[in-house]
Amino acid sequence: MILIEDSITDDLYENCVNELNEKINQDCWRSSSITWDSGIKQGIVGSCIITPVSDTIHHLLEKQLKSSLPEYDELVFQYYIWQPQSGISWHTDEQPDRLFGASLYLNEEWYPNHGGWFIWEDEGGYHTILPKKKFLVINNNYQNHCVTPVTRDFRCTIQIWGKKNPAKNLNSKDFVKL
């Protein structure tokens, strides 16, 4: 895991929070209860709602975070609102097209009794992080991790996915000659 405090400027943080607040009443959200695989929902009864960031915020985030992120071909940025009883079971973020996953925390304050702890496992044991404003966690080695169920309020993050472009890695031998 790569851990970065104050990963974005205060201005960009405000822009992200303002956009998230504008999107709250829009018909643009999807639910983890419907879209996530059953394995990462084990023991989780609540739902996390998800929507993409705007192109403007995408550009600003990529510009500020590019030097902190592992190599990628494409970035995906999504707002996540972790509602009460939402969380995610142990998983690695590994997908065929994914190079890494990351979480950028947006809550101004978060309290230990509100749940939503990020826990990961490595050769040294288990580690935890309580969400903290502008803190960035990058899972660059597909480490096993989870988010404990949120007990109250809304835990807000921007989830970042570093993707690889499969077409970029094709060799000439991969093409069929006509």
Side-chain angles (χ1 to χ4, degrees):
M1 290 290 168
I2 300 171
L3 311 173
I4 303 171
E5 289 200 50
D6 292 319
S7 62
I8 58 174
T9 63
D10 287 337
D11 284 343
L12 180 52
Y13 169 79
E14 291 299 326
N15 287 339
C16 292
V17 169
N18 289 339
E19 180 176 79
L20 176 58
N21 286 328
E22 289 171 11
K23 286 182 171 258
I24 285 176
N25 292 318
Q26 294 178 8
D27 187 20
C28 61
W29 297 90
R30 60 188 177 92
S31 170
S32 63
S33 295
I34 297 169
T35 59
W36 287 0
D37 292 334
S38 61
I40 60 175
K41 296 185 295 184
Q42 287 183 335
I44 304 297
V45 296
S47 178
C48 179
I49 57 174
I50 304 157
T51 194
V53 304
S54 68
D55 289 343
T56 301
I57 294 294
H58 184 287
H59 173 74
L60 293 170
L61 284 167
E62 185 166 6
K63 185 176 177 183
Q64 282 193 24
L65 295 174
K66 188 174 184 90
S67 64
S68 300
L69 298 173
E71 285 189 34
Y72 59 87
D73 293 324
E74 175 189 358
L75 287 177
V76 174
F77 295 96
Q78 299 170 314
Y79 291 112
Y80 276 43
I81 297 178
W82 303 77
Q83 301 175 98
Q85 303 305 311
S86 69
I88 191 166
S89 301
W90 287 95
H91 66 287
T92 63
D93 287 338
E94 190 168 5
Q95 298 283 328
D97 66 339
R98 192 177 292 161
L99 296 165
F100 65 87
S103 297
L104 173 61
Y105 299 110
L106 297 180
N107 292 84
E108 185 75 30
E109 290 185 297
W110 194 256
Y111 302 98
N113 286 338
H114 289 184
W117 287 83
F118 179 84
I119 305 172
W120 80 95
E121 178 183 18
D122 64 19
E123 59 280 346
Y126 294 95
H127 310 275
T128 61
I129 293 175
L130 185 66
K132 182 179 176 184
K133 175 183 168 184
K134 301 190 310 180
F135 196 88
L136 181 67
V137 177
I138 305 167
N139 186 4
N140 60 324
N141 290 317
Y142 305 120
Q143 287 177 273
N144 206 24
H145 64 284
C146 72
V147 173
T148 65
V150 172
T151 60
R152 61 177 297 174
D153 293 333
F154 298 108
R155 179 184 185 267
C156 300
T157 64
I158 294 176
Q159 295 305 125
I160 305 165
W161 308 109
K163 299 192 136 211
K164 56 185 165 185
N165 180 351
K168 186 176 176 180
N169 300 318
L170 292 177
N171 297 319
S172 59
K173 66 180 180 163
D174 295 321
F175 293 98
V176 175
K177 294 189 180 192
L178 301 175

